[in-house]
Amino acid sequence: MYQFFAAAPRGFEFPLTQELIKLGANDVKEAQAGAYFGADLETAYRICMWSRLPSRIIMILYQGKFTTVDELYEAAFCVDWPAVFSEKSKFLVDFVGSNKLINNTQFGALKIKDAIVDRFRDDGYKRPDVSKEECDIRISARIKRDQVTLGFNFSGSAMHQRGYRGRTGDAPLKENLACNMLARSGWLDDQKDIMDPFCGSATILIEAAMIAADMAPALNRNQHGFTSWRGHNAKLWDDIYQEAQARASLGVKRCKTRFYGFDNDPRVVRAARHNVQNAGVAALVTIEQADAVEATPQTEQPGYLIANPPFGERLGNYNSLLQLYFKFGQQLKSHFGGWKISLLSSEPELLRAMKLKFDKRIQMYNGNLECEFCNYSIHENRLTTDSPVDLEFAQSFVNRVKKNRKAIEKWAKSQPTDCYRLYDADIPVYNVAVDRYQDYLVVQEYAAPSHIPQATTQRRLTEVLLSLPAATGIEPDNIIMKTRAKQRGSEQYQKRSNESLELIVTEYQARFKVDLTRYLDSGLFLDHRLTRKLVGQKSADKSVLNLFAYTGSASVHAALGGAKSVTTVDMSRTYLAWAQENFSLNKLSGRQYQFIQADCLKWIDDCTTEFDLIFIDPPTFSNSKRMDTTFDVERDHVALLTGLKRILSAGGEIIFTNNRRKFKMDFDGLAEHGLKAINIDAKLLPLDFKRNPQIHNCWSVVRHEQ
């Protein structure tokens, strides 16, 4: 009796143990990412031929403790390696794990390798060669705490590969993962017809057809680890192989189960058909080109729909995928009564968008990607919903957005501007802001109160994203999701892209570049639209200073308003370069326009030039490494404005704004330094921000004697 370990991805453990028991293994014990078992040689060969779930099977040669590196070496040296493989064979050590003694796998592998070659040498054999590319036998060394397990890869690497898949789609599913899905779906018990409307490379269908047709998964594998093992019985293996061939030939002819796959990409359909042909199940599997959201049952009797629909890591825009899943869910409810549905996705919120209540949810791993595998039952002639708002979800949100559009879009055309806020958390349960930039929407989620469950927050956000295309007429691909609060669910939705989505938008007579994807903010603060306009109106024949200038939009308005000079200061080279692009867009050039990269607070202290108009929109708080000190607008605004007074010309004005919601102006402190502040918020709040008068504060600051 030999001892083995069957390694498999996490989430495979239970069906793996059941499979090993059915194949005749003894003393099967479930373990993390695999299972231990005992078997005689014939049973071990049959497991290598017929087991569909493992990634590899290791024959265990030694297990024991070690407390020093020398003891690890001795443990490996004590194994009779010349009895395991020939000195003429090339080998490789796969070392996994770490502890206080071994924290480098290369070092651990080197120690095992040294012990192996020393054992060969001490037994009078030639030292075997080590090779990564052309090894005949792979030694497995695994440590966990003070335990080491030594063995060799009995099955060979990549046991999940069947040999039929020459062509794949964008994100092929591993064959053993497909088998785990089949096992967890319940299909193995009754083996009804299967349909996969997102079939891709057809892996799920092929694996199911091979099971139904009694085809061994290793029939087309040419490499096995045991062929270089000295204990290999070639005759016994050949008998098992011949038996498997005969069973497959007979099984395909007898199989009554049928399998139907669809994909909307003709190239993927061709590749899937090629794979089906290679696997020898073309008589059982039909692949057609079709859209999943229009799929209908292909059989009179209800069967199984098992699929791995596209998700964020695989394909496209998250918001388009939300729409796809929702429509697919509606199609299932309408046409698949009595069917069993099983779906795998790494994005739980995509599955939630189908508005189906799962019977069972199982955690699986697709490589290192954590996924949910959900089983659903579609009841005959009855919708299956998990919420009373499923059919007309977010109706209050939709109605408010439509109402806002009527008022705001007409107003925006009169300004004119083609970027504005459509919705700003008008309804508390839909706690988002929606900004429109031409034919794009940017959705920003606000942090939900701590008492609201995360699942509720995610569901509401999903409803917002699903309903926006119908409410606004904007295509799902043109909806960008952002979040200002670190939150697991929303961070999954839309990873901030390294790619830019740049537009040139208009605001009154000005043109600006915005980037909707690369940064948290687009490059244009929409709530300051009227503030920038005011700067432009006040700038004629004046020297203007814009501090903490960001992308220089206020500077552009000043220049277009006829300023005799405009100085733009910001600490960020990126934003300063962006400001220069904005000037170029508006055909503004000349020495009168200066761009300075500097710490604004230090620059104020060093400045010797006077300005007639100063616009300043400082951060609420900053502790940037490039600044000499921290800055808090509440604490430091008097010192800031007093410093600006020194470079403000006689009769000059400071327009000071910030977005601290509960900001309190220190009038007495300013008066002590000869300054007077007048709040001008009411004049500068645009129509699309009227709901939220506290979104920013704006003040006109002049010398007290003026």
Side-chain angles (χ1 to χ4, degrees):
M1 183 73 67
Y2 299 98
Q3 297 301 311
F4 297 91
F5 177 73
R10 287 178 292 174
F12 283 48
E13 293 89 350
F14 177 74
L16 173 62
T17 58
Q18 300 304 303
E19 180 184 63
L20 291 171
I21 291 170
K22 287 181 180 179
L23 291 171
N26 296 315
D27 300 323
V28 180
K29 296 179 181 178
E30 184 177 318
Q32 184 178 10
Y36 291 96
F37 67 95
D40 58 26
L41 187 57
E42 181 178 352
T43 302
Y45 281 160
R46 289 191 180 279
I47 288 171
C48 286
M49 174 61 73
W50 288 96
S51 186
R52 303 177 190 274
L53 294 171
S55 303
R56 61 192 178 280
I57 293 174
I58 306 298
M59 177 181 279
I60 298 172
L61 303 174
Y62 174 86
Q63 284 183 303
K65 291 185 177 182
F66 71 100
T67 57
T68 67
V69 174
D70 288 340
E71 287 182 5
L72 176 65
Y73 170 90
E74 289 297 329
F77 183 84
C78 288
V79 176
D80 188 1
W81 295 108
V84 177
F85 65 97
S86 166
E87 62 185 339
K88 297 178 181 179
S89 298
K90 297 177 182 179
F91 77 99
L92 179 67
V93 177
D94 294 319
F95 192 95
V96 178
S98 63
N99 61 16
K100 293 180 179 179
L101 292 171
I102 310 290
N103 57 14
N104 183 291
T105 56
Q106 289 183 338
F107 174 73
L110 180 63
K111 280 294 175 185
I112 303 299
K113 184 268 294 182
D114 289 344
I116 292 171
V117 297
D118 288 349
R119 177 61 188 262
F120 270 92
R121 183 197 59 201
D122 284 13
D123 284 6
Y125 294 95
K126 178 184 174 183
R127 173 185 175 132
D129 291 332
V130 177
S131 175
K132 291 183 178 180
E133 288 77 22
E134 299 178 353
C135 67
D136 301 302
I137 193 161
R138 300 182 75 100
I139 306 303
S140 171
R142 186 182 188 91
I143 63 171
K144 186 174 182 180
R145 293 188 288 273
D146 62 347
Q147 294 283 330
V148 59
T149 301
L150 299 172
F152 76 94
N153 194 331
F154 188 79
S155 62
S157 298
M159 191 178 174
H160 65 275
Q161 294 178 353
R162 319 298 195 212
Y164 59 74
R165 199 160 69 179
R167 305 175 187 176
T168 62
D170 289 337
L173 195 74
K174 284 188 176 181
E175 295 89 333
N176 58 343
L177 177 56
C179 288
N180 193 28
M181 293 169 62
L182 291 166
R184 294 288 193 158
S185 70
W187 175 81
L188 293 179
D189 295 330
D190 52 16
Q191 297 193 14
K192 293 181 179 179
D193 292 349
I194 291 181
M195 179 175 169
D196 182 355
F198 303 95
C199 73
S201 56
T203 306
I204 294 172
L205 299 174
I206 293 172
E207 292 297 318
M210 290 176 67
I211 293 171
D214 199 26
M215 297 177 67
L219 262 181
N220 294 319
R221 289 188 68 218
N222 297 320
Q223 293 184 336
H224 305 278
F226 51 70
T227 55
S228 294
W229 173 48
R230 284 191 183 273
H232 175 47
N233 186 328
K235 173 67 168 59
L236 179 58
W237 171 250
D238 187 62
D239 289 345
I240 290 171
Y241 179 81
Q242 296 299 328
E243 175 196 321
Q245 275 196 320
R247 286 172 60 176
S249 179
L250 187 61
V252 170
K253 295 175 183 177
R254 290 180 173 179
C255 182
K256 302 299 181 183
T257 310
R258 291 297 180 265
F259 308 88
Y260 303 91
F262 302 94
D263 201 284
N264 60 5
D265 187 335
R267 294 171 299 176
V268 173
V269 168
R270 288 193 294 271
R273 288 172 176 167
H274 182 83
N275 294 338
V276 168
Q277 192 72 37
N278 281 351
V281 292
L284 309 178
V285 181
T286 301
I287 307 293
E288 300 291 345
Q289 183 182 349
D291 193 331
V293 299
E294 298 175 356
T296 55
Q298 301 298 298
T299 58
E300 292 184 5
Q301 296 300 316
Y304 283 75
L305 188 153
I306 305 174
N308 173 217
F311 49 85
E313 295 290 338
R314 287 173 59 193
L315 298 168
N317 182 292
Y318 178 82
N319 305 306
S320 294
L321 291 176
L322 270 181
Q323 300 290 332
L324 170 66
Y325 275 69
F326 175 71
K327 292 176 183 177
F328 182 55
Q330 296 298 99
Q331 188 73 2
L332 292 177
K333 296 172 189 177
S334 301
H335 298 283
F336 285 81
W339 280 64
K340 300 289 187 181
I341 312 296
S342 296
L343 302 174
L344 178 76
S345 178
S346 71
E347 299 279 6
E349 278 307 301
L350 290 175
L351 294 177
R352 309 293 180 271
M354 295 195 307
K355 302 300 178 183
L356 293 174
K357 186 176 182 179
F358 59 79
D359 299 325
K360 191 171 185 180
R361 180 174 60 189
I362 302 166
Q363 185 184 57
M364 286 189 189
Y365 284 84
N366 186 359
N368 292 324
L369 193 63
E370 183 177 349
C371 299
E372 278 191 6
F373 182 71
C374 292
N375 292 328
Y376 310 87
S377 297
I378 307 297
H379 298 294
E380 197 83 47
N381 301 322
R382 185 167 65 86
L383 292 178
T384 304
T385 63
D386 61 357
S387 167
V389 297
D390 283 342
L391 299 181
E392 296 184 6
F393 55 85
Q395 195 60 52
S396 59
F397 171 78
V398 171
N399 292 340
R400 181 58 62 92
V401 171
K402 288 182 176 180
K403 179 181 178 181
N404 290 353
R405 282 184 64 195
K406 289 182 180 179
I408 294 173
E409 290 182 358
K410 182 178 180 180
W411 165 84
K413 289 179 181 179
S414 70
Q415 294 302 293
T417 182
D418 54 10
C419 48
Y420 44 85
R421 179 151 293 184
L422 270 179
Y423 175 92
D424 195 7
D426 301 33
I427 302 170
V429 295
Y430 297 109
N431 198 23
V432 299
V434 181
D435 295 327
R436 180 164 188 168
Y437 293 82
Q438 296 174 355
D439 291 329
Y440 291 84
L441 296 180
V442 174
V443 181
Q444 299 186 62
E445 181 189 22
Y446 295 122
S450 58
H451 67 274
I452 297 180
Q454 185 179 338
T456 301
T457 302
Q458 291 177 344
R459 176 173 59 81
R460 289 170 179 168
L461 181 59
T462 297
E463 291 177 356
V464 164
L465 295 173
L466 283 172
S467 59
L468 273 173
T472 62
I474 300 294
E475 292 295 323
D477 280 343
N478 288 8
I479 300 175
I480 294 100
M481 176 65 211
K482 296 183 179 181
T483 179
R484 290 185 177 275
K486 189 172 183 180
Q487 203 171 79
R488 286 181 300 166
S490 58
E491 284 193 335
Q492 290 182 74
Y493 302 154
Q494 191 79 27
K495 286 74 177 177
R496 197 151 312 133
S497 174
N498 288 326
E499 298 181 1
S500 293
L501 173 55
E502 295 181 357
L503 303 175
I504 306 303
V505 298
T506 59
E507 180 180 276
Y508 308 116
Q509 75 273 37
R511 288 159 52 85
F512 297 111
K513 183 188 89 171
V514 295
D515 190 327
L516 304 187
T517 56
R518 183 173 288 185
Y519 306 98
L520 182 60
D521 293 304
S522 68
L524 190 66
F525 296 132
L526 302 184
D527 59 305
H528 278 304
R529 187 185 303 110
L530 292 180
T531 309
R532 291 188 288 270
K533 183 179 182 181
L534 179 66
V535 170
Q537 292 170 341
K538 289 177 173 285
S539 293
D541 298 320
K542 292 181 180 177
S543 56
V544 179
L545 170 64
N546 183 5
L547 286 164
F548 299 99
Y550 189 37
T551 59
S553 52
S555 299
V556 169
H557 275 280
L560 293 175
K564 63 182 179 183
S565 69
V566 181
T567 301
T568 303
V569 185
D570 197 274
M571 190 160 53
S572 167
R573 292 185 184 277
T574 299
Y575 290 138
L576 210 62
W578 196 331
Q580 290 173 295
E581 284 188 69
N582 283 335
F583 266 68
S584 296
L585 282 173
N586 291 277
K587 302 187 183 338
L588 298 169
S589 62
R591 294 182 179 179
Q592 70 272 35
Y593 305 131
Q594 299 293 314
F595 300 88
I596 301 171
Q597 191 260 326
D599 174 347
C600 291
L601 299 178
K602 189 174 184 302
W603 185 86
I604 293 170
D605 292 338
D606 297 338
C607 180
T608 57
T609 305
E610 285 192 346
F611 298 91
D612 302 318
L613 179 64
I614 299 174
F615 175 70
I616 181 165
D617 181 16
T620 299
F621 179 83
S622 178
N623 60 352
S624 170
K625 293 179 180 178
R626 289 179 288 177
M627 293 177 63
D628 294 336
T629 183
T630 62
F631 174 80
D632 184 293
V633 72
E634 183 85 48
R635 181 191 68 198
D636 300 324
H637 71 277
V638 172
L640 173 63
L641 294 171
T642 301
L644 290 177
K645 178 186 174 185
R646 185 182 59 81
I647 59 174
L648 185 67
S649 63
E653 180 182 6
I654 302 168
I655 297 178
F656 167 58
T657 183
N658 68 77
N659 64 352
R660 190 182 189 112
R661 297 233 168 174
K662 296 182 179 180
F663 177 80
K664 293 183 179 180
M665 179 66 77
D666 186 352
F667 295 102
D668 293 338
L670 289 179
E672 289 177 9
H673 293 87
L675 292 173
K676 180 174 68 173
I678 302 171
N679 186 278
I680 53 176
D681 287 350
K683 299 178 181 178
L684 301 178
L685 196 64
L687 177 66
D688 48 338
F689 287 89
K690 288 288 187 184
R691 269 202 77 258
N692 190 2
Q694 292 184 324
I695 196 165
H696 65 238
N697 308 280
C698 199
W699 309 80
S700 171
V701 182
V702 296
R703 296 178 187 275
H704 192 64
E705 60 270 17
Q706 286 180 215

